Amino acid sequence: GAGVSQSPSNKVTEKGKDVELRCDPISGHTALYWYRQRLGQGLEFLIYFQGNSAPDKSGLPSDRFSAERTGESVSTLTIQRTQQEDSAVYLCASSRQDPQYFGPGTRLTVL
Amino acid sequence: GENVEQHPSTLSVQEGDSAVIKCTYSDSASNYFPWYKQELGKRPQLIIDIRSNVGEKKDQRIAVTLNKTAKHFSLHITETQPEDSAVYFCAASNRGFQKLVFGTGTRLLVSP
């Protein structure tokens, strides 16, 4: 079946602008995760949604970052007032339990 | 919280040799340990995972071993091939439906 999809694949924005990144999980996967991967680095956890439970936001680096998920479907990650240090690949993953399956990521470049 | 360390950061081997990547974790409650392979510009792909109720798991040329007492786990690739060249990440979590804490990655280069 279809895997995790993300859009856009690339986003170039100017410092100070807001951006919205989208993730479509695998159908039937109740858990959805966002990670950030800076160039040449590992993956940093940002936020996790599980069903109707309150999301685990413990990885969000600042209050400029927020995310929403509608039921068990699409999620959007919003970064307000982008900074150059926000430049990274933002990866979404979904799971039924284990393992997590990743999307192709959105490469964000903040000029 | 959980902390995962991974070594080496880079590993160069000749085709046909074996490669071993090691990770240690800090949280004794962690019980799920996946390994992901990431080719340049691509998404991480799961290659093997292990749960804490077993000590070893094999899938063709790939094996993972887990030592719960020492809190470390390792990835073993035998008969390496150039297409094994990629960055490999280990990760840990303390049960299903939990965030993964990743190691910093190992860049494996397999030379023909």
Side-chain angles (χ1 to χ4, degrees):
Chain A
V4 179
S5 61
Q6 292 186 245
S7 61
S9 55
N10 282 283
K11 176 72 176 178
V12 180
T13 191
E14 294 179 348
K15 177 181 171 181
K17 294 285 178 71
D18 297 352
V19 296
E20 197 170 272
L21 313 180
R22 176 187 170 108
C23 172
D24 283 90
I26 295 171
S27 177
H29 281 193
T30 57
L32 186 147
Y33 313 77
W34 284 96
Y35 295 86
R36 177 172 70 180
Q37 187 174 31
R38 291 197 166 108
L39 186 63
Q41 304 293 314
L43 284 75
E44 303 170 74
F45 167 76
L46 297 177
I47 188 169
Y48 147 64
F49 297 89
Q50 167 52 37
N52 295 319
S53 302
D56 176 357
K57 304 180 181 180
S58 61
L60 294 179
S62 78
D63 59 8
R64 295 187 296 105
F65 288 72
S66 63
E68 293 183 350
R69 187 182 186 193
T70 307
E72 294 185 353
S73 62
V74 172
S75 175
T76 56
L77 176 69
T78 301
I79 308 173
Q80 296 178 311
R81 305 182 302 282
T82 52
Q83 304 293 312
Q84 288 182 331
E85 62 261 29
D86 298 335
S87 296
V89 175
Y90 290 82
L91 290 157
C92 173
S94 72
S95 72
R96 196 185 302 274
Q97 189 167 9
D98 293 319
Q100 295 180 23
Y101 295 92
F102 283 86
T106 293
R107 181 175 299 278
L108 175 65
T109 303
V110 182
L111 302 178
Chain B
E2 175 66 277
N3 181 55
V4 177
E5 295 189 355
Q6 182 172 347
H7 301 279
S9 57
T10 59
L11 180 58
S12 294
V13 299
Q14 292 292 121
E15 183 176 1
D17 288 350
S18 294
V20 180
I21 303 170
K22 299 182 179 182
C23 289
T24 60
Y25 61 99
S26 60
D27 187 351
S28 57
S30 289
N31 62 5
Y32 174 67
F33 308 93
W35 286 88
Y36 286 86
K37 174 183 180 182
Q38 188 175 34
E39 297 178 30
L40 189 63
K42 300 289 181 63
R43 74 186 76 190
Q45 298 267 20
L46 179 77
I47 55 171
I48 195 166
D49 57 7
I50 191 168
R51 289 174 172 76
S52 60
N53 57 345
V54 297
E56 184 175 1
K57 183 177 179 181
K58 290 186 72 173
D59 182 4
Q60 299 183 352
R61 298 187 296 110
I62 294 172
V64 57
T65 58
L66 172 64
N67 182 327
K68 285 192 296 182
T69 303
K71 290 190 282 190
H72 66 69
F73 56 113
S74 300
L75 178 71
H76 305 253
I77 307 174
T78 58
E79 300 172 31
T80 53
Q81 302 168 1
E83 52 265 39
D84 294 330
S85 297
V87 179
Y88 291 80
F89 292 97
C90 63
S93 73
N94 67 3
R95 62 180 183 274
F97 291 132
Q98 289 293 323
K99 66 183 182 184
L100 290 173
V101 177
F102 283 85
T104 49
T106 296
R107 183 173 301 277
L108 174 65
L109 176 62
V110 181
S111 301

